[in-house]
Each structure stands twice: as structure tokens, then as C-alpha cells.
Amino acid sequence: MTTVDKGHGRIETRTLTLATSNPATPIPYISQSFRIERERTRLDGSPLSREVVYGITSLFPRVADAKTLLKHNRNHWHIENKLHYVRDVTFGEDASRIRTGAGPHVMATLRNLTIGLLRLAGAGGGKIPASIRKFMWGDRRHSMRMIGIQG
């Protein structure tokens, strides 16, 4: 299965090759394995990059054909852009000095909770930084109502 997308000043070609796993494989829950080759070229055809990745899945061929697996792989980047980018840029997660014990996990959970609550309150897209400023400087009762505390 091959897809071609044009955008951001480049052409991206993705080819997924799929193989059904042997039932006698000693590793449980592997149904299929796949190879994704990504080639990026400039609009004029000059090469930018080439990458090959391999993966395994427990999804059966009747549930996830090559087109579906390629879509799942693309959706991974949607999550990366939607959540991790916000966590890093808005909350400065990569610059955090918390690195030991449960601290990093707790802080990631708090950041995810905050992002989720803000999105539920209608702060989608690029509105999260502005919403954070609004809650910081605004009426604290609104912030408390947002998490279910009446005040």
C-alpha cells in the first residue's frame, strides 16, 4: 500500500509492506508485522530524506489491512502534535528539571489533565496558552467550577 501526500513544501511517499505472522511464532499476540518506508522529496523532486521503520501488531488482517495500519501510523503523529507539542511548548516539559522518582510521571499526568480540562472547556487549537493566562489572572471560581468544585 502506497500513499503520496503533498504539503509543507515537500512530497511524502509512504509505502507499507505487510506480512501475516506464523501462528507458531514463540512471541504471543503477534498477528502481523510490517515495514513502512517514508521518502520525502522537495517539490522539484530532489531528495530530502528516506526512513524505514518496522513494526508488529496484534490486530488481525481482517481488522487491520495495510491501509488501516498506515492510517494508524499517521494518527500517531496527530497525537504527537496535539498533545506532546502542547506539553513541551506551553508547559516547557522538555526543560523541566524534575527527573527522579515518580515526579516526571506525576507532572506529565497533571499536564495532561490540565490540557484535557481546557479542551473540554472549549480551548482547542491554539487557544490553550491564552486560556491558561485567563485562568491565572481571572476569577478563580471559574477555574474551580471547571473541575467540579462549586464556589
Side-chain angles (χ1 to χ4, degrees):
M1 169 76 194
T2 299
T3 62
V4 178
D5 294 312
K6 181 179 173 182
H8 305 286
R10 63 181 180 254
I11 298 171
E12 295 189 33
T13 304
R14 290 172 207 82
T15 303
L16 186 135
T17 308
L18 190 58
T20 304
S21 296
N22 182 341
T25 302
I27 304 171
Y29 309 111
I30 294 178
S31 179
Q32 301 181 90
S33 57
F34 57 90
R35 175 185 188 264
I36 300 174
E37 182 176 349
R38 299 182 193 107
E39 291 186 34
R40 293 172 190 89
T41 59
R42 290 185 179 86
L43 294 177
D44 66 6
S46 59
L48 281 172
S49 65
R50 182 177 174 274
E51 176 183 42
V52 177
V53 296
Y54 297 90
I56 57 174
T57 181
S58 61
L59 299 173
F60 292 105
R62 68 180 179 277
V63 176
D65 58 3
K67 182 177 178 180
T68 303
L69 288 174
L70 204 50
K71 183 179 174 185
H72 285 319
N73 182 260
R74 292 282 295 162
N75 285 343
H76 162 78
W77 293 109
H78 176 73
I79 294 167
E80 176 71 26
N81 293 334
K82 190 172 182 178
L83 179 63
H84 297 292
Y85 179 82
V86 173
R87 281 177 28 186
D88 185 36
V89 172
T90 303
F91 292 103
E93 186 174 62
D94 286 352
S96 174
R97 307 279 297 168
I98 301 170
R99 291 186 171 74
T100 59
H105 184 77
V106 169
M107 291 306 298
T109 301
L110 291 171
R111 289 179 190 111
N112 288 342
L113 174 65
T114 303
I115 292 166
L117 288 170
L118 288 169
R119 286 202 172 121
L120 284 173
K127 299 177 186 174
I128 289 179
S131 297
I132 290 171
R133 286 189 297 274
K134 175 184 172 185
F135 287 121
M136 274 180 15
W137 300 110
D139 184 358
R140 298 210 188 276
R141 289 177 293 176
H142 182 68
S143 302
M144 300 305 276
R145 281 193 301 272
M146 194 172 145
I147 61 172
I149 299 172
Q150 299 301 317

